[in-house]
mmCIF file of all heavy atoms in Angstrom:
data_model
loop_
_atom_site.group_PDB
_atom_site.id
_atom_site.type_symbol
_atom_site.label_atom_id
_atom_site.label_comp_id
_atom_site.label_asym_id
_atom_site.label_seq_id
_atom_site.Cartn_x
_atom_site.Cartn_y
_atom_site.Cartn_z
ATOM 1 N N ARG A 253 17.693 -7.861 1.744
ATOM 2 C CA ARG A 253 18.779 -8.424 0.864
ATOM 3 C C ARG A 253 20.051 -8.437 1.672
ATOM 4 O O ARG A 253 20.810 -7.508 1.762
ATOM 5 C CB ARG A 253 18.943 -7.569 -0.376
ATOM 6 C CG ARG A 253 19.774 -8.316 -1.427
ATOM 7 C CD ARG A 253 19.697 -7.688 -2.734
ATOM 8 N NE ARG A 253 20.526 -8.386 -3.713
ATOM 9 C CZ ARG A 253 20.953 -7.825 -4.838
ATOM 10 N NH1 ARG A 253 20.615 -6.597 -5.101
ATOM 11 N NH2 ARG A 253 21.681 -8.544 -5.669
ATOM 12 N N GLU A 254 20.288 -9.613 2.275
ATOM 13 C CA GLU A 254 21.453 -9.812 3.107
ATOM 14 C C GLU A 254 22.608 -10.392 2.303
ATOM 15 O O GLU A 254 23.774 -10.207 2.650
ATOM 16 C CB GLU A 254 21.091 -10.787 4.300
ATOM 17 C CG GLU A 254 20.087 -10.201 5.247
ATOM 18 C CD GLU A 254 20.574 -8.962 5.977
ATOM 19 O OE1 GLU A 254 21.780 -8.932 6.344
ATOM 20 O OE2 GLU A 254 19.805 -7.994 6.093
ATOM 21 N N LYS A 255 22.320 -11.085 1.197
ATOM 22 C CA LYS A 255 23.305 -11.652 0.302
ATOM 23 C C LYS A 255 23.014 -11.238 -1.122
ATOM 24 O O LYS A 255 21.842 -11.028 -1.465
ATOM 25 C CB LYS A 255 23.365 -13.151 0.443
ATOM 26 C CG LYS A 255 23.858 -13.681 1.759
ATOM 27 C CD LYS A 255 23.984 -15.195 1.770
ATOM 28 C CE LYS A 255 24.559 -15.666 3.104
ATOM 29 N NZ LYS A 255 24.725 -17.164 3.091
ATOM 30 N N LYS A 256 24.017 -11.158 -1.941
ATOM 31 C CA LYS A 256 23.844 -10.618 -3.281
ATOM 32 C C LYS A 256 22.871 -11.499 -4.071
ATOM 33 O O LYS A 256 22.096 -10.986 -4.866
ATOM 34 C CB LYS A 256 25.211 -10.621 -4.011
ATOM 35 C CG LYS A 256 25.177 -9.861 -5.343
ATOM 36 C CD LYS A 256 26.557 -9.789 -5.889
ATOM 37 C CE LYS A 256 26.563 -8.994 -7.212
ATOM 38 N NZ LYS A 256 27.921 -8.860 -7.802
ATOM 39 N N GLU A 257 22.859 -12.787 -3.887
ATOM 40 C CA GLU A 257 22.037 -13.676 -4.699
ATOM 41 C C GLU A 257 20.616 -13.839 -4.197
ATOM 42 O O GLU A 257 19.815 -14.442 -4.905
ATOM 43 C CB GLU A 257 22.693 -15.043 -4.795
ATOM 44 C CG GLU A 257 22.721 -15.846 -3.487
ATOM 45 C CD GLU A 257 23.937 -15.570 -2.643
ATOM 46 O OE1 GLU A 257 24.614 -14.535 -2.854
ATOM 47 O OE2 GLU A 257 24.214 -16.359 -1.727
ATOM 48 N N ARG A 258 20.267 -13.267 -3.106
ATOM 49 C CA ARG A 258 18.948 -13.572 -2.480
ATOM 50 C C ARG A 258 18.231 -12.275 -2.148
ATOM 51 O O ARG A 258 18.776 -11.366 -1.540
ATOM 52 C CB ARG A 258 19.195 -14.389 -1.209
ATOM 53 C CG ARG A 258 17.953 -14.980 -0.575
ATOM 54 C CD ARG A 258 18.330 -15.771 0.649
ATOM 55 N NE ARG A 258 19.211 -16.908 0.299
ATOM 56 C CZ ARG A 258 18.762 -18.106 -0.004
ATOM 57 N NH1 ARG A 258 17.492 -18.381 0.024
ATOM 58 N NH2 ARG A 258 19.619 -19.024 -0.305
ATOM 59 N N PHE A 259 16.919 -12.214 -2.502
ATOM 60 C CA PHE A 259 16.109 -11.055 -2.238
ATOM 61 C C PHE A 259 14.763 -11.551 -1.750
ATOM 62 O O PHE A 259 14.087 -12.311 -2.429
ATOM 63 C CB PHE A 259 15.980 -10.252 -3.529
ATOM 64 C CG PHE A 259 15.406 -8.871 -3.396
ATOM 65 C CD1 PHE A 259 15.665 -8.083 -2.288
ATOM 66 C CD2 PHE A 259 14.603 -8.299 -4.402
ATOM 67 C CE1 PHE A 259 15.164 -6.770 -2.202
ATOM 68 C CE2 PHE A 259 14.128 -7.011 -4.310
ATOM 69 C CZ PHE A 259 14.406 -6.274 -3.206
ATOM 70 N N SER A 260 14.403 -11.102 -0.551
ATOM 71 C CA SER A 260 13.184 -11.589 0.072
ATOM 72 C C SER A 260 12.124 -10.491 0.125
ATOM 73 O O SER A 260 12.417 -9.325 0.369
ATOM 74 C CB SER A 260 13.472 -12.069 1.514
ATOM 75 O OG SER A 260 14.424 -13.108 1.489
ATOM 76 N N LEU A 261 10.905 -10.922 -0.140
ATOM 77 C CA LEU A 261 9.759 -9.982 -0.017
ATOM 78 C C LEU A 261 8.949 -10.439 1.212
ATOM 79 O O LEU A 261 8.654 -11.640 1.359
ATOM 80 C CB LEU A 261 8.890 -10.078 -1.265
ATOM 81 C CG LEU A 261 7.613 -9.191 -1.266
ATOM 82 C CD1 LEU A 261 8.040 -7.700 -1.341
ATOM 83 C CD2 LEU A 261 6.716 -9.532 -2.436
ATOM 84 N N ILE A 262 8.608 -9.494 2.043
ATOM 85 C CA ILE A 262 7.907 -9.827 3.298
ATOM 86 C C ILE A 262 6.565 -9.091 3.354
ATOM 87 O O ILE A 262 6.524 -7.857 3.125
ATOM 88 C CB ILE A 262 8.761 -9.435 4.532
ATOM 89 C CG1 ILE A 262 10.128 -10.103 4.430
ATOM 90 C CG2 ILE A 262 8.084 -9.764 5.824
ATOM 91 C CD1 ILE A 262 11.236 -9.382 5.135
ATOM 92 N N LEU A 263 5.526 -9.825 3.619
ATOM 93 C CA LEU A 263 4.216 -9.224 3.886
ATOM 94 C C LEU A 263 4.030 -9.310 5.388
ATOM 95 O O LEU A 263 3.869 -10.395 5.949
ATOM 96 C CB LEU A 263 3.106 -9.999 3.152
ATOM 97 C CG LEU A 263 2.992 -9.865 1.649
ATOM 98 C CD1 LEU A 263 4.182 -10.437 0.901
ATOM 99 C CD2 LEU A 263 1.708 -10.466 1.112
ATOM 100 N N GLU A 264 4.126 -8.207 6.071
ATOM 101 C CA GLU A 264 4.127 -8.201 7.526
ATOM 102 C C GLU A 264 2.822 -8.741 8.106
ATOM 103 O O GLU A 264 2.792 -9.474 9.065
ATOM 104 C CB GLU A 264 4.341 -6.781 8.059
ATOM 105 C CG GLU A 264 5.759 -6.211 7.737
ATOM 106 C CD GLU A 264 6.852 -6.914 8.542
ATOM 107 O OE1 GLU A 264 6.563 -7.540 9.579
ATOM 108 O OE2 GLU A 264 8.036 -6.823 8.111
ATOM 109 N N SER A 265 1.715 -8.367 7.491
ATOM 110 C CA SER A 265 0.390 -8.872 7.921
ATOM 111 C C SER A 265 -0.455 -8.985 6.678
ATOM 112 O O SER A 265 -1.037 -8.002 6.199
ATOM 113 C CB SER A 265 -0.199 -7.857 8.919
ATOM 114 O OG SER A 265 -1.529 -8.278 9.283
ATOM 115 N N ALA A 266 -0.516 -10.187 6.135
ATOM 116 C CA ALA A 266 -1.148 -10.381 4.836
ATOM 117 C C ALA A 266 -2.612 -9.985 4.875
ATOM 118 O O ALA A 266 -3.347 -10.229 5.835
ATOM 119 C CB ALA A 266 -1.030 -11.839 4.394
ATOM 120 N N SER A 267 -3.047 -9.387 3.745
ATOM 121 C CA SER A 267 -4.431 -9.019 3.612
ATOM 122 C C SER A 267 -4.976 -9.577 2.261
ATOM 123 O O SER A 267 -4.177 -9.928 1.362
ATOM 124 C CB SER A 267 -4.612 -7.510 3.630
ATOM 125 O OG SER A 267 -3.938 -6.914 2.517
ATOM 126 N N THR A 268 -6.262 -9.686 2.162
ATOM 127 C CA THR A 268 -6.842 -10.317 0.966
ATOM 128 C C THR A 268 -6.496 -9.555 -0.312
ATOM 129 O O THR A 268 -6.392 -10.152 -1.394
ATOM 130 C CB THR A 268 -8.387 -10.441 1.084
ATOM 131 O OG1 THR A 268 -8.923 -9.173 1.383
ATOM 132 C CG2 THR A 268 -8.751 -11.415 2.223
ATOM 133 N N ASN A 269 -6.283 -8.227 -0.207
ATOM 134 C CA ASN A 269 -5.934 -7.493 -1.394
ATOM 135 C C ASN A 269 -4.516 -7.671 -1.827
ATOM 136 O O ASN A 269 -4.058 -7.079 -2.838
ATOM 137 C CB ASN A 269 -6.298 -5.976 -1.245
ATOM 138 C CG ASN A 269 -5.490 -5.305 -0.131
ATOM 139 O OD1 ASN A 269 -4.555 -5.879 0.366
ATOM 140 N ND2 ASN A 269 -5.878 -4.132 0.185
ATOM 141 N N GLN A 270 -3.765 -8.504 -1.156
ATOM 142 C CA GLN A 270 -2.446 -8.896 -1.566
ATOM 143 C C GLN A 270 -2.410 -10.227 -2.270
ATOM 144 O O GLN A 270 -1.336 -10.763 -2.656
ATOM 145 C CB GLN A 270 -1.502 -8.914 -0.373
ATOM 146 C CG GLN A 270 -1.256 -7.480 0.214
ATOM 147 C CD GLN A 270 -0.330 -7.504 1.411
ATOM 148 O OE1 GLN A 270 -0.578 -8.245 2.357
ATOM 149 N NE2 GLN A 270 0.646 -6.622 1.398
ATOM 150 N N THR A 271 -3.573 -10.800 -2.507
ATOM 151 C CA THR A 271 -3.671 -11.993 -3.351
ATOM 152 C C THR A 271 -3.261 -11.597 -4.744
ATOM 153 O O THR A 271 -3.840 -10.695 -5.350
ATOM 154 C CB THR A 271 -5.141 -12.524 -3.346
ATOM 155 O OG1 THR A 271 -5.438 -13.046 -2.031
ATOM 156 C CG2 THR A 271 -5.316 -13.582 -4.374
ATOM 157 N N SER A 272 -2.245 -12.249 -5.298
ATOM 158 C CA SER A 272 -1.704 -11.840 -6.559
ATOM 159 C C SER A 272 -0.615 -12.840 -7.009
ATOM 160 O O SER A 272 -0.239 -13.775 -6.277
ATOM 161 C CB SER A 272 -1.083 -10.433 -6.451
ATOM 162 O OG SER A 272 -0.677 -9.943 -7.716
ATOM 163 N N MET A 273 -0.103 -12.608 -8.210
ATOM 164 C CA MET A 273 1.100 -13.292 -8.690
ATOM 165 C C MET A 273 2.262 -12.387 -8.403
ATOM 166 O O MET A 273 2.282 -11.209 -8.765
ATOM 167 C CB MET A 273 0.993 -13.541 -10.185
ATOM 168 C CG MET A 273 2.280 -14.113 -10.818
ATOM 169 S SD MET A 273 2.700 -15.779 -10.243
ATOM 170 C CE MET A 273 1.694 -16.739 -11.370
ATOM 171 N N TYR A 274 3.306 -12.960 -7.720
ATOM 172 C CA TYR A 274 4.511 -12.162 -7.394
ATOM 173 C C TYR A 274 5.671 -12.695 -8.238
ATOM 174 O O TYR A 274 5.957 -13.873 -8.214
ATOM 175 C CB TYR A 274 4.817 -12.263 -5.938
ATOM 176 C CG TYR A 274 3.770 -11.534 -5.090
ATOM 177 C CD1 TYR A 274 2.592 -12.153 -4.646
ATOM 178 C CD2 TYR A 274 3.983 -10.181 -4.779
ATOM 179 C CE1 TYR A 274 1.667 -11.448 -3.951
ATOM 180 C CE2 TYR A 274 3.057 -9.505 -4.052
ATOM 181 C CZ TYR A 274 1.882 -10.139 -3.653
ATOM 182 O OH TYR A 274 0.922 -9.427 -2.920
ATOM 183 N N LEU A 275 6.270 -11.758 -8.929
ATOM 184 C CA LEU A 275 7.400 -12.119 -9.822
ATOM 185 C C LEU A 275 8.683 -11.436 -9.313
ATOM 186 O O LEU A 275 8.717 -10.219 -9.044
ATOM 187 C CB LEU A 275 7.163 -11.655 -11.236
ATOM 188 C CG LEU A 275 6.106 -12.433 -12.010
ATOM 189 C CD1 LEU A 275 5.644 -11.686 -13.247
ATOM 190 C CD2 LEU A 275 6.649 -13.786 -12.421
ATOM 191 N N CYS A 276 9.756 -12.196 -9.210
ATOM 192 C CA CYS A 276 11.064 -11.674 -8.884
ATOM 193 C C CYS A 276 11.843 -11.552 -10.220
ATOM 194 O O CYS A 276 11.643 -12.327 -11.149
ATOM 195 C CB CYS A 276 11.768 -12.660 -7.997
ATOM 196 S SG CYS A 276 13.492 -12.240 -7.578
#
Side-chain angles (χ1 to χ4, degrees):
Chain A
R253 193 165 180 202
E254 296 296 319
K255 293 186 177 181
K256 189 175 185 180
E257 67 271 18
R258 189 179 299 269
F259 192 34
S260 301
L261 180 69
I262 304 154
L263 288 66
E264 294 289 342
S265 177
S267 64
T268 55
N269 63 12
Q270 293 178 309
T271 292
S272 186
M273 171 68 84
Y274 290 87
L275 288 165
C276 173

